[in-house]
Amino acid sequence: MQGDAEQLLREHGLQVTAQRLAILRAVSSRPHGTADELIDDVRAVIGSISRQAVFGTLNVLVEKNLLRRIQPAGSPARYEDRVGDNHHHLICRSCGLTFDIDCIVGAAPCLVAEEDHGFEIDEAEVLFWGRCPSCKRTGETDTPVG
Amino acid sequence: MQGDAEQLLREHGLQVTAQRLAILRAVSSRPHGTADELIDDVRAVIGSISRQAVFGTLNVLVEKNLLRRIQPAGSPARYEDRVGDNHHHLICRSCGLTFDIDCIVGAAPCLVAEEDHGFEIDEAEVLFWGRCPSCKRTGETDTPVG
DNA sequence: AGCCAACAATTGACTCAGTCTAATATTTTT
DNA sequence: AAAAATATTAGACTGAGTCAATTGTTGGCT
Ligand SMILES: [Mn+2]
Ligand SMILES: [Mn+2]
Ligand SMILES: [Zn+2]
Ligand SMILES: [Zn+2]
């Protein structure tokens, strides 16, 4: 999802703005970052941006499938530019540290439910929960950080 | 998790109150209900209860493992009294309708990540996402309801 | 039965993450 | 360069939940 971000935006019928470019770059250099983390990153680069511009842009980019949003329990939403595959996530219950886990199957839905209750299932989302090496060491308690 | 709720509370070192009993019964008769739904249910039965009492009780019951909390993206937390197994969930993207999906393996974590990054993984949470029969029919758009 | 300490419920303010709206500014088309 | 389309901003607002102080209830112990 790197390369010509400008191109990418245009291809999806979006206007090219400094804010959007900066947001794309921020997501790319901080995978699984929260909106607030990304706001800080973007401000460090382009000086200033409104909260709403960031939320709005993240929304439109997710909608256009240029970004993916994950919403793990106890955390604000996180964003990544690794889209179009069906990877999963490994999350530390204490500090929220998040890793990508490659899907063994590849395509979604990568697991089948025994009983589908008539649903049209399009995804099997898998979240591996645990404790990261550093939180294990320090005996950190369960207070996931945003 | 039915039977003598009073007993159950005592066994876990919790005082028995009308509120707690009513909340337990409400969760049991509305699996995967949200806090606000449960508040309504409880009020219909015992007349009145504070929001805080419900949130507080749900918290302590989850902590003591008498209830389980699930937090699907785009929905407030949901509660159920089916604990101690490792079942999964099937959720409608449009209306939030939620079903239990039995785990094929049984014990958690029921899936192994290819790379564990040194984590101590205790759970593999699986959420099957899709569209329920009724939302399929009416072509409902993706606006999960609380 | 009555007392008391521990525990629970209520109230109301507050937080966090995010949305809505109207006004302004920037991009893109013509 | 002007107009139309789209994006950004500021600020009020919402939903879901928490925090802290006060009041009320429960249950163990004389
Ligand atoms: Mn990822
Ligand atoms: Mn369930
Ligand atoms: Zn950690
Ligand atoms: Zn549905």
Side-chain angles (χ1 to χ4, degrees):
Chain A
M1 197 55 45
Q2 20 112 290
D4 204 336
E6 200 168 322
Q7 182 72 13
L8 201 64
L9 289 172
R10 279 192 226 284
E11 277 169 13
H12 287 80
L14 298 171
Q15 289 189 357
V16 176
T17 66
Q19 291 88 340
R20 282 175 178 173
L21 292 173
I23 290 166
L24 277 172
R25 293 200 341 118
V27 171
S28 166
S29 64
R30 188 200 278 272
H32 311 119
T34 64
D36 282 315
E37 288 166 349
L38 295 169
I39 288 171
D40 289 347
D41 292 356
V42 168
R43 287 192 176 144
V45 173
I46 65 169
S48 103
I49 192 171
S50 70
R51 255 176 92 64
Q52 323 48 285
V54 176
F55 277 101
T57 297
L58 290 172
N59 283 346
V60 62
L61 293 177
V62 166
E63 209 163 278
K64 296 280 184 181
N65 245 287
L66 300 189
L67 295 182
R68 176 177 169 190
R69 171 192 287 127
I70 61 173
Q71 284 163 268
S75 160
R78 293 169 180 277
Y79 298 86
E80 66 184 337
D81 63 0
R82 183 173 163 184
V83 294
D85 66 351
N86 184 57
H87 73 275
H88 303 303
H89 293 97
L90 167 57
I91 308 169
C92 175
R93 289 194 192 275
S94 311
C95 69
L97 182 64
T98 301
F99 282 103
D100 287 332
I101 298 294
D102 290 336
C103 180
I104 298 167
V105 172
C110 58
L111 291 172
V112 289
E114 279 298 277
E115 165 61 85
D116 72 6
H117 295 273
F119 278 52
E120 189 172 280
I121 298 177
D122 59 68
E123 182 188 357
E125 178 184 16
V126 182
L127 299 172
F128 294 94
W129 291 97
R131 191 154 296 236
C132 74
S134 129
C135 289
K136 253 194 297 187
R137 226 184 306 109
T138 65
E140 208 54 66
T141 182
D142 276 19
T143 314
V145 69
Chain B
M1 195 56 43
Q2 21 112 293
D4 203 336
E6 200 166 321
Q7 182 71 14
L8 201 64
L9 288 172
R10 279 192 226 285
E11 278 170 11
H12 287 81
L14 298 171
Q15 290 190 358
V16 176
T17 67
Q19 290 89 338
R20 282 175 178 173
L21 293 173
I23 290 166
L24 277 171
R25 293 200 339 120
V27 172
S28 167
S29 64
R30 187 201 278 271
H32 312 119
T34 64
D36 281 316
E37 289 166 348
L38 295 169
I39 288 173
D40 289 347
D41 291 356
V42 168
R43 287 193 175 142
V45 173
I46 65 169
S48 103
I49 192 172
S50 70
R51 258 178 88 65
Q52 226 17 252
V54 176
F55 277 100
T57 297
L58 290 172
N59 282 347
V60 62
L61 294 177
V62 167
E63 209 164 279
K64 297 278 184 184
N65 246 287
L66 300 188
L67 294 183
R68 176 177 171 192
R69 171 192 288 127
I70 61 173
Q71 284 163 268
S75 161
R78 294 170 179 275
Y79 297 86
E80 65 185 338
D81 63 1
R82 182 173 164 186
V83 295
D85 66 351
N86 184 58
H87 73 275
H88 304 303
H89 294 97
L90 167 57
I91 308 168
C92 176
R93 289 193 191 276
S94 311
C95 70
L97 181 64
T98 302
F99 283 104
D100 287 331
I101 298 294
D102 290 335
C103 181
I104 299 168
V105 172
C110 57
L111 292 172
V112 289
E114 279 298 274
E115 165 62 88
D116 72 5
H117 294 275
F119 277 52
E120 189 172 280
I121 299 177
D122 59 68
E123 182 188 356
E125 179 184 15
V126 181
L127 300 172
F128 294 94
W129 291 96
R131 192 156 295 236
C132 74
S134 129
C135 289
K136 252 194 299 188
R137 225 184 307 107
T138 65
E140 208 54 67
T141 183
D142 276 20
T143 315
V145 69

